[in-house]
Amino acid sequence: MENIYMLSDADLIGLISAKLKQLRLKQNISRQDLSASSGVSLSSIVRMEDGEIKSFDSFLRILRTLGKLEVLQQLANEEEMSPNEYFKLVNSAKPKQRKRASKRVNNKQQEKSEW
């Protein structure tokens, strides 16, 4: 496969659309059956396979029905935190203690104690 970043958006959508159609045919599912099981209209499936992916919701439903949601797994995974990020997160959640005022010595008491 080519470098995915070198493809235009239209080319990328074309590849994805062709792959959806290929997956559907490989599983021997008709467009009508896919429409019924995914809840996506037949016309939306036809348009999607022709390169017009307009609704992300419909795209997800079709991937789920075809059993291919794992292609989005990397997007769904949470990134691991570095030890420094974890330390900052833990410390930001702790309530901060109020600082106590230092004891002030009364100036009048100091002046009385002259030797």
Side-chain angles (χ1 to χ4, degrees):
M1 165 148 199
E2 301 174 40
N3 183 351
I4 199 165
Y5 290 99
M6 299 301 291
L7 298 174
S8 69
D9 292 348
D11 290 339
L12 190 56
I13 290 172
L15 284 174
I16 292 170
S17 297
K19 187 67 172 182
L20 286 176
K21 184 174 184 177
Q22 179 186 8
L23 288 169
R24 179 182 62 78
L25 293 173
K26 191 173 186 178
Q27 294 180 24
N28 200 24
I29 300 173
S30 70
R31 288 178 171 167
Q32 291 82 5
D33 291 341
L34 182 59
S35 173
S37 58
S38 67
V40 176
S41 70
L42 180 60
S43 60
S44 292
I45 292 173
V46 170
R47 283 194 309 271
M48 212 174 279
E49 288 183 355
D50 287 340
E52 294 181 40
I53 301 174
K54 301 287 183 186
S55 169
F56 191 69
D57 180 56
S58 297
F59 180 65
L60 287 177
R61 288 182 192 185
I62 290 174
L63 285 177
R64 184 182 307 276
T65 304
L66 293 174
K68 291 298 180 179
L69 273 179
E70 69 271 2
V71 298
L72 301 175
Q73 186 68 44
Q74 189 173 359
L75 289 174
N77 288 341
E78 291 191 29
E79 293 182 23
E80 290 187 25
M81 280 189 208
S82 70
N84 288 338
E85 290 172 328
Y86 180 75
F87 179 77
K88 287 177 185 176
L89 178 69
V90 169
N91 284 332
S92 69
K94 290 181 183 177
K96 295 186 180 188
Q97 283 187 327
R98 289 181 54 184
K99 293 184 178 179
R100 304 262 180 208
S102 60
K103 291 184 180 180
R104 292 188 181 176
V105 178
N106 191 347
N107 288 338
K108 291 180 182 177
Q109 290 177 351
Q110 273 186 341
E111 291 174 7
K112 289 181 183 178
S113 64
E114 290 181 354
W115 294 32

